[in-house]
Amino acid sequence: MAVSRGNPYKPDRNESKPRGIYRSRRASRQRRPRQPLPLEDDLHPPSSSPSPRRLRAVQPNSANPSRPKPIPLNPTTRRSSEPSIYPNLKLPKLRTINGIPIRETPLGNRQMRRPPAATPLSQPLNPRRDNSPRRQTRRSTVSTQSEAKPKRQSSRSQPTQRGKSRRSRRSQKRAGIWIHVIRLLILGVGIGAIAGTLLSVLDPTSKMSMRSSEAAEGNLQESPTNQSITPALPLRQEISPLKAQVQTLVAKNPKLQPGVFVVDLDTGAYLDWQSHSIFPAASTIKVAILVAFFQEVDAGKIRLDEPLTMEPEMIAKGSGDMQYQKPGTQYSALEVATKMITISDNTATNMIIHRLGGIQAVNQRFISWGLTATAINNPLPDLEGTNTTNARDMANLLYKVNQGELLSLRSRDRLLDIMQRTVNNSLIPQGLDSGATVAHKTGDIGSVLGDVGIVDMPTGKRYLIVTLVKRPHNDASASELIRNLSRTVYDYFNKPTATPSLNSMPISTPAMMVSGLLIGLQGTIL
């Protein structure tokens, strides 16, 4: 049999081998001394799984007598029953490479460490510690002592926890302060709202109107019992000195029964003399009819240039010149309304009432404005005095017109301009100075004489005045009383300090009460 070339103790270079299994001789010499080869009897049959040992090749049937005999290739070869002379030496295992049996040479008595078997989940992770009774007893004792005594915190963790506790306390204090501030604000707002509401309820003279012209038109066809009435004038304080002067004038004319109402539109100060007494309205009721006309204009139901035809049943005697025109004559709506006021034309008044829907519709509108004593019972001229009103109603109506509550600003300006062109200036205008202007409307029948208007003084003050006087039939003293009343009122308001200003007489409303309380609370907190 031919012997292979090269080193017989090294495998063929062409033989594929796993990386990292074999070691070089130099590395093995450096790490440990070389051990003698075991005897043939101590050889073991080859193992199925080789270990990382240096291999030594043995060729069978070798001619060299100094070399060991070949190892039989029978895998069933059993280990010799004779005792080994190397009891502590692990015998090599056989391995075959290209038909050549290879013997693994052990590196020493060291064994390769196998990875520990997986610990089942049912067993503890540290069996040696758990299986030791001393450790278990000591651990139970320590746990019992730890449960009995609280654990001490380390010196490093104590400052951190103290700082956290201090921060939490500070945040809690800040939160508590803000909560108290919010509670105080809510309490102040509630108290202010309640106080303002009580004051507005207990003082009926301080109520102000909140109804607009659209609401009044929507309630035009409702019954008087179901219709809401707008509040009265926002009065402040009655002018006692002026009332004493009026009382003196009335005492000089015992045959006359006047009803007077005066309001300072700047301060709310007022004069009331028998203002609730009902009087025949005469032509003063035409002011209310003119307001209803301009409400329809604002609603778009009447155009100022639309033609109105004078029907025969609308023609009325008395004041005015339209009665002398032929029936069927047409006029613009604005011209008819102007004649109703400037020359107190009764025919024009009847035409406007007809255009507004009739007497009943106009009366419903008066009720929606809060005019409780003003009503039309018969067409004009009504010489019998069935159409009624009182001084309070007329003053309330003029106030609403001035404040723009019933009309738009454009319609209000037109209405006041028409009233300023009234031809009859024998009553209120006679008690004014030359620099004053007045928008007014007179009324004159045999039993009643009256004049209502808004006066603008040269000083800038504005006030409204209503005078209605019951008299004996066509008694001229009623005209003189109205002129004297107008002069007395004008002279009083013309004084430098006639009535207190709005700054000295604040209006007590809920909004002002709430704002005052909030300002007070803010000052207290700061």
Side-chain angles (χ1 to χ4, degrees):
M1 181 176 180
V3 180
S4 61
R5 297 179 180 181
N7 192 350
Y9 295 96
K10 292 185 179 180
D12 192 0
R13 294 181 179 180
N14 297 330
E15 179 70 18
S16 61
K17 58 182 178 179
R19 188 175 182 181
I21 294 180
Y22 309 109
R23 297 182 181 180
S24 63
R25 290 185 178 182
R26 183 179 297 177
S28 60
R29 289 171 185 171
Q30 293 176 359
R31 294 183 181 180
R32 59 177 179 78
R34 186 174 182 180
Q35 298 180 0
L37 294 175
L39 297 178
E40 183 179 358
D41 297 337
D42 296 332
L43 295 178
H44 294 280
S47 175
S48 60
S49 59
S51 59
R53 302 288 189 270
R54 184 169 59 87
L55 302 180
R56 185 175 180 179
V58 178
Q59 295 181 359
N61 301 325
S62 175
N64 190 359
S66 62
R67 294 182 179 180
K69 295 181 180 181
I71 301 172
L73 300 179
N74 187 7
T76 60
T77 304
R78 295 179 178 272
R79 184 176 298 187
S80 176
S81 59
E82 298 179 2
S84 176
I85 62 175
Y86 302 100
N88 297 328
L89 179 64
K90 285 190 175 183
L91 299 179
K93 300 179 182 180
L94 295 179
R95 186 178 180 185
T96 303
I97 298 176
N98 292 334
I100 302 174
I102 303 300
R103 180 174 57 188
E104 293 183 2
T105 303
L107 299 179
N109 296 333
R110 294 177 297 176
Q111 299 180 359
M112 290 190 65
R113 296 183 180 179
R114 296 181 181 180
T119 304
L121 296 178
S122 60
Q123 297 180 1
L125 297 178
N126 195 350
R128 184 179 62 180
R129 182 175 180 180
D130 293 342
N131 295 332
S132 176
R134 294 183 179 179
R135 294 286 180 90
Q136 292 180 359
T137 306
R138 185 175 182 181
R139 194 184 311 117
S140 61
T141 306
V142 171
S143 62
T144 306
Q145 294 178 359
S146 63
E147 292 176 0
K149 296 182 181 180
K151 295 182 180 180
R152 295 183 180 179
Q153 298 179 353
S154 62
S155 58
R156 295 182 180 180
S157 62
Q158 287 181 359
T160 305
Q161 294 181 358
R162 290 177 182 176
K164 291 182 179 179
S165 62
R166 290 177 182 176
R167 294 173 185 174
S168 62
R169 290 176 184 175
R170 292 176 183 174
S171 61
Q172 289 178 0
K173 289 181 180 179
R174 293 175 183 175
I177 292 173
W178 282 110
I179 290 173
H180 288 302
V181 170
I182 294 172
R183 287 178 180 175
L184 288 175
L185 290 176
I186 294 173
L187 180 62
V189 172
I191 293 174
I194 294 172
T197 305
L198 290 176
L199 289 176
S200 62
V201 170
L202 295 176
D203 188 8
T205 60
S206 63
K207 297 179 181 179
M208 298 185 69
S209 173
M210 300 299 293
R211 181 175 296 274
S212 62
S213 60
E214 291 78 8
E217 293 170 3
N219 295 331
L220 184 62
Q221 301 299 331
E222 295 179 1
S223 61
T225 56
N226 296 331
Q227 195 164 14
S228 59
I229 300 174
T230 54
L233 289 167
L235 305 177
R236 300 292 176 265
Q237 181 180 1
E238 190 170 9
I239 309 172
S240 300
L242 182 59
K243 188 172 184 179
Q245 297 179 21
V246 171
Q247 186 176 4
T248 303
L249 291 174
V250 173
K252 295 179 181 179
N253 299 276
K255 297 183 297 181
L256 305 178
Q257 299 178 12
V260 182
F261 201 86
V262 179
V263 179
D264 186 353
L265 296 177
D266 297 332
T267 63
Y270 68 97
L271 165 66
D272 185 356
W273 184 270
Q274 302 296 326
S275 64
H276 293 283
S277 299
I278 297 178
F279 294 82
S283 292
T284 58
I285 202 170
K286 296 175 183 178
V287 177
I289 297 172
L290 183 63
V291 175
F293 170 78
F294 276 109
Q295 274 194 344
E296 292 294 292
V297 172
D298 291 339
K301 298 179 180 179
I302 295 179
R303 293 183 54 179
L304 295 177
D305 60 346
E306 74 172 76
L308 297 180
T309 304
M310 185 179 65
E311 302 293 340
E313 62 272 11
M314 300 176 186
I315 299 175
K317 298 179 180 181
S319 59
D321 58 1
M322 293 180 66
Q323 57 182 326
Y324 304 111
Q325 303 298 325
K326 293 181 180 180
T329 305
Q330 290 187 345
Y331 302 90
S332 66
L334 182 59
E335 182 181 3
V336 174
T338 303
K339 287 181 176 292
M340 178 180 65
I341 299 298
T342 56
I343 62 175
S344 192
D345 197 302
N346 294 328
T347 303
T349 304
N350 293 334
M351 292 174 65
I352 295 295
I353 292 174
H354 177 73
R355 181 63 183 84
L356 293 175
I359 293 175
Q360 188 64 27
V362 176
N363 287 335
Q364 292 291 334
R365 196 181 295 267
F366 293 166
I367 294 173
S368 68
W369 298 342
L371 308 181
T372 58
T374 304
I376 301 175
N377 296 315
N378 288 305
L380 275 292
D382 188 33
L383 299 177
E384 294 79 10
T386 59
N387 300 334
T388 60
T389 189
N390 61 16
R392 179 66 70 102
D393 276 7
M394 286 291 105
N396 192 14
L397 178 63
L398 291 177
Y399 174 80
K400 293 178 185 297
V401 170
N402 179 76
Q403 297 299 113
E405 297 180 9
L406 299 179
L407 302 175
S408 63
L409 297 180
R410 184 180 302 174
S411 296
R412 183 197 65 178
D413 294 341
R414 285 199 181 103
L415 182 142
L416 295 177
D417 179 68
I418 292 172
M419 293 180 66
Q420 287 177 0
R421 290 184 280 164
T422 300
V423 175
N424 186 2
N425 293 323
S426 61
L427 300 176
I428 290 177
Q430 294 300 315
L432 309 177
D433 290 342
S434 59
T437 58
V438 58
H440 70 109
K441 178 67 187 78
T442 59
D444 184 5
I445 58 176
S447 60
V448 173
L449 182 65
D451 198 357
V452 299
I454 299 176
V455 178
D456 287 310
M457 302 178 63
T459 59
K461 180 178 289 295
R462 172 176 285 192
Y463 66 91
L464 60 88
I465 179 172
V466 179
T467 57
L468 297 172
V469 180
K470 288 183 181 180
R471 60 178 180 174
H473 188 73
N474 292 332
D475 191 344
S477 60
S479 301
E480 188 66 22
L481 177 61
I482 292 175
R483 286 191 289 266
N484 292 333
L485 290 171
S486 177
R487 170 52 64 178
T488 302
V489 173
Y490 183 86
D491 290 343
Y492 180 83
F493 286 131
N494 200 26
K495 295 178 182 180
T497 57
T499 56
S501 62
L502 287 174
N503 295 331
S504 61
M505 297 178 61
I507 302 173
S508 58
T509 59
M512 295 181 64
M513 294 291 294
V514 171
S515 61
L517 286 173
L518 289 177
I519 293 172
L521 286 173
Q522 184 178 3
T524 304
I525 293 171
L526 295 177

